[in-house]
Amino acid sequence: MPLRRACPFAVLVLLACGGGGPSRPPVASISLIPSTATPLTSLGDTLQVTATALDTQGAPIPGVGIAYTSSDAAIATVNQAGLITAVANGAATIHASAEGKEATIAVTVAQVVAHVLLTPLSIRVPAGETPLFHASAVDARNHLVVGAPPPSWTTTDPALATIGTDGRATVSAGAPDGATVSAVATVGAVSSAAGGLMTVDHTAVYVETITIAPASVAAFASVGQTVQLSATASNPRGDVTSQVTFAWSSSSPGVAGVSTAGLVTALGNGSSAVSASSNGVSGSVSISVAQVVTSVAVSTSAGGASASLASLGETVQLVATAFDSGGSPVAGASFGWTSDAPAIATVSSAGLVTAIANGSAHVVARATSNQVASPAPGLAVTVQQAVASVSVLPPTASIPFCTTQQFAATPLDARGNRVAGAPAPTWNSASTAVATVGTNGVARGVSPGGPVAIQATIAGKAGSAQLTVNSSPIVVGWSSAAAVTPVSVTTCLAQSVVWRNTDANVVHSATGSSGPPTTGAIQPGASSVAESFPSTGSYPFHCDFHPNETGTVFITP
């Protein structure tokens, strides 16, 4: 049975006066209680302690934060949840404090031997051979017990093999082939339970030591790199390499592969131990693979070498790939992204490009590990808005015949942004018998009817508004403002005109200089009767009450 030494725990509670918040009593003391009295006998063992803030009556105070610290974190650590972890043999003091009050607990880490491990585990030896065995005393978590006493050695059958205090056995010269005997190491009260097996075989070559050359290998910087290893075997009588065959293996085949001839090939980032074994004995060398970025390539997520965006706000995802010197992708590489024209196109930390304005930009990705960048000037991003729709305003309108309505056309991209630099619109009317429209977007009512579509076409995309032409007379706002800005009205011979007094308390009239109009007095807020004109031409008029208020009606065919 393993020997275990009890671990003492001492709880020290310090009392003092202290202040607390106004919503609770002050902390008078700290209670610190371990979850168990089990000693820490293995490195990595843990012990949970619970600290509680108490008032002067010894009652727990809820909501008080406790700070845990260790006097020697090289012996035992403690986290802020009160979990103590054994790190090395020795003694430490764990402190729990709040508001100037403190409690402590003494912790001792004392490894106890739980197992004795033997190497080699199993070997074949000829009669009369003197194989050497090694014993390791470990705790329950398989950590080597520091300061453990040396083992005492025996064998399971002294008639077949004896063993010295140094662990070197001597196989009986008369031991028959096939006979088995095991070395046994005992540390304290714990004996090895496995390993140390010797099988007598007159054809076997005993190998005591295997040496790998080179003894150390520089870290591989790229996948596919290789190094040739060689192994040398020896025993107390000298070099036996020529008499044995080595089996090569890798502890992490995904990191480093090894051929039957000892050729090691880097396969992925990480660490591995490559070993050569023969007759139960092995030698090894550490292999490390840490790819170094030597080049970076950037493409769109669809594999494109450039990107074109047709709408402001449109995005495209870029993908960067890092390569080592052998041309293999570097797994797990991260990148920083930059745009040489962020006013045209921005790029996020994840490589998402967003169109901001028409123009060109270049995006570069740099490996975070060593700042190796994708080739200059970078992946080209072109932002050129394409007209996806045309907005015509106002969307609907109704005008008397022989009058006009101004329409405006706005080209929009697929995200509804105005397209800068688009060509001028081409205008047309769905029914020129009802309304016509000029190149400037001014529609003219020809005859009552509609609604009729007034259409604007830009870059092959069309939009329209609806125009209704009614038979109402033209209404002219008539006020004192005409003294400063004379009124001008243009209409056709078939149309009539109504004057509306828009002043609140002044009477006006509209009287032609020779002929119409002859409205007579128009009261504030009232309208005249409709006035017609006998022929084309211009018809000046004024207000009888305020002769400086003037205007002209222009009659077209």
Side-chain angles (χ1 to χ4, degrees), residues 402 444 491-494 536 555-557:
C402 291
R444 180 179 180 83
T491 186
C492 61
L493 186 62
T536 59
I555 301 298
T556 61

Side-chain angles (χ1 to χ4, degrees), residues 234-348:
S234 63
N235 64 23
R237 287 176 295 281
D239 190 313
V240 294
T241 304
S242 63
Q243 302 174 52
V244 300
T245 300
F246 298 104
W248 292 90
S249 63
S250 172
S251 64
S252 298
V255 173
V258 60
S259 73
T260 57
L263 182 67
V264 177
T265 303
L267 299 178
N269 290 326
S271 298
S272 178
V274 172
S275 302
S277 302
S278 180
N279 194 11
V281 178
S282 64
S284 66
V285 64
S286 295
I287 300 295
S288 176
V289 181
Q291 287 174 283
V292 175
V293 177
T294 59
S295 63
V296 174
V298 175
S299 66
T300 67
S301 58
S306 61
S308 296
L309 303 176
S311 300
L312 304 187
E314 188 179 353
T315 61
V316 62
Q317 181 65 58
L318 302 187
V319 177
T321 305
F323 298 93
D324 62 26
S325 60
S328 296
V330 177
S334 60
F335 305 91
W337 295 87
T338 56
S339 167
D340 65 358
I344 301 299
T346 61
V347 61
S348 74

